[in-house]
Amino acid sequence: MSGDSSAKWVYDFSEGNKDQKDLLGGKGANLAEMTNLGLPVPPGFTITTDACRFYLEQGGTPPELDAQVTEHLVALEKAMGKSLGDPSDPLLVSVRSGAAASMPGMMETVLNVGLNDESVQGLAAQSGSERFAWDSYRRLIQMFGKTVLDIDGEHFDDALDAVKSEQGTELDLDLDAAHLQDVVGRFKAIVKEHTGTDFPQDPREQMDLAINAVFDSWNSDRAIIYRRRERIPSDAGTAVNVCSMVFGNLGMDSGTGVAFTRDPGSGEQGVYGDYLQNAQGEDVVAGIRNTVPLVDLKSIDEPAYDELMGIMSRLESHYRDLCDIEFTVERNKLWMLQTRVGKRTAGAAFRIATQLVDEGLIDMDEAVRRVSGDQLAQLMFPRFVSGGDATQLTQGMNASPGAAVGRAVFSSEEAVKWADRGEKVVLVRRETNPDDLSGMIAAEGVLTSRGGKTSHAAVVARGMGKTCVCGAEELQVDTKAKKFTAPDGSVVEEGDVISIDGSTGKVWLGEVPVEPSAVVRYFEGEIDPASDDTDDLVKSVHRILTHADDVRRLDVRTNADTPEDSARARRFGAQGIGLCRTEHMFLGSDRRKLVEKLILADGEDERQAALDALEPLQKQDFLEIFEEMDGLPVTVRLLDPPLHEFLPDLTELSVRVALAEERGEPDEGNLRLLAAVRGMHESNPMLGLRGVRLGLVVPGLFDMQVRAIAEAACERKQAGGDPRPEIMIPLVGAVQELEAIREGAERVLREVCQECGIDVAPLIGTMIEVPRAALTAGEIAAHADFFSFGTNDLTQMTWGFSRDDVEAAFFHQYLDKGIFGISPFEALDRDGVGRLVQIGVEAGRAARPDLKLGVCGEHGGDPESVHFFHEVGLDYVSCSPFRVPVARLEAGRAALAGS
């Protein structure tokens, strides 16, 4: 990106609209939209995300930016009748970040820009309050020092606490103008000490440095972590909003607050939010002082409250969604500082979507778009039940629902450290700040003693789907001593197990038992969605999922190897089995012995005897699964893993043989087994003798499995059933492999049909999991009735990753360095693995238009990957039973994505 004299880098609030988020950021676009609606928005302007990208790429601002900012600043000064930092009557501005995607608390804000040693006197004279002026100045130095000058915020906190301690108070409000002037002096000394220069007195220099600091904050550690988690593109950049200041800290007739048009925790309609008198916005979000409920504003300032209620209603109707609003009251005058579509819990998302349908604001297609598979998955987690030995300690605010149990830790660093060891933890803080993001991600839940439903902890936790209890004021949290004290005197130290309920706000010492969620009970058929007694959340899930089923093109199957999994998946809405792994049927001790006999067979007779013993067991497995999936397709994958997986571990067996020999009791069976294990040892077994290669090298193995499938299907048909088996040959890389195995399978099928007198004609296809198979899919399709993309192995082979090794060895470093934003085993790598899938689809269908196409890797249940599979034209996805509802919803959302 290069400078362009005609480029427009700055927009007045009156020039944009809500559809320009990519250019103006979410905050700037919505400020412009509210301005155009005629709502009371302080004048200002937005510096675009293009300017941020230029700054980050070129290491400096565009050459034209300074002049354009000056032009808009002059217009702002004219509109306000004041000049930036004027000594007698200063215009002050805020400099705020605002990316296209909401990133609450992840980037920087600086308020009261324009104050200096002279203009603070003018502000005092114009406002009639010296205290207010000095309070505003100390806030500027504190925010500027931390944000722009990169000084540790604790230095400022300690200085402020020292002044309060000297005055014998714990409250900022108890400090008068002289005390705050003392604080300003101490803050300026901190700046001088840590930077070697004085706090800048030039108002324009303050503003320019603050703008650059906002740009820099796009690449702060916490912003990078948040973007990776939320899958926000790293090159999107942030806009900067320069807005004339309005003050909520002018006295008790002023204040600041955050409001929601509906409860973001439950979706219920009503008055929700927090208000704090005589405060600026960061006081509410930081949770430093506890707020009052928004409804209390009615008794504090009824005209402002009534005007706010009218604006909230108008905004919700205009945006057709839950709105999150920030506002300030300055001497009884209401100002709107921000609105955005509000983050909400998973349950609230489903409830609100159907509420808006019933109110006529959106249709069911839009309701499906408004929720996600990740949110549905959250609703399927268990919840607490009464009982157990846990002791309730206190009750805070139910900030983000869920049931979290873990060991108490008191810093983000410890949360990450303990979680890396495999420990479940609950992060306990007085209040969280953006630097706590990594600990919040690592923890099962978050507990704070300060703050409300709009505090940093609450907002971020809701966005993550993380359980959170805020404002548990009765707890005395001592992070330095790594403990908290409950009202009854109980002391909880680091490592003690606690339980928190984000739905009720309750906190317990000890582990509280859990029960299945109501949504899972609905999927299990235990709850009737049509009953008047059924919770409205279940009804909302039912309505939305039913509509998703109506509009989706993709079928959803399941990966199941047992009758129990098959039955559950069918209850959850599966339309068949896309992957039945036969190797899982050989893992029982009795069957493992038979596999050992097959591997150790000395000659054809012994091998056939072992196969004959295995066949009836396999047949019974298939019979039970066909019964559960009657009338639906069942894709059976022939044996895939290396045979050594069914044998004892080489080291363990060697030790057993050595000890027996040492005792003078050699075991011929173990000696023979050890020789076989050594003979089958492979340096890289996942690329060795497995899949189709087993069928070609071990005579009769695949024939036995095909016979068991066919005989089970015949028996099921004789019983009046409707079995629909499909036979899948794994790890094919060359068409000749498929031809050879298919020829043998068709021979066995003819024999069984003749013996039973019943026609059984399963489809015969292959997994596409070797890159060569995708690249030669046209040839392979000529001999396959279907393809099923095995994206787990396809990902391993395309990247050259051994999954079991790399995820623990270096994936965290790859994520930290941004080499990929999410593990390619979690979400499909569209550019690499996805391209191979696309090649396979196009070549396969070109050779055989009626070729059935599906996917059976774990990506089949990943929401983002489901959209890709819809786009490339697969017929179905297959996933674990628990993910079936998620895939159903995402398949519907994928179908609606382009409409």
Side-chain angles (χ1 to χ4, degrees), residues 601-622:
D602 185 11
E604 185 176 340
D605 290 344
E606 281 190 24
R607 180 170 55 249
Q608 191 59 49
L611 291 170
D612 290 344
L614 283 168
E615 184 192 326
L617 302 175
Q618 282 265 271
K619 174 185 170 182
Q620 184 61 33
D621 293 329
F622 297 138

Side-chain angles (χ1 to χ4, degrees), residues 73 264 347 431 621 635 753 761 828 843 880:
L73 178 59
E431 67 272 337
D621 293 329
T635 304
C753 289
L828 191 80
S880 66

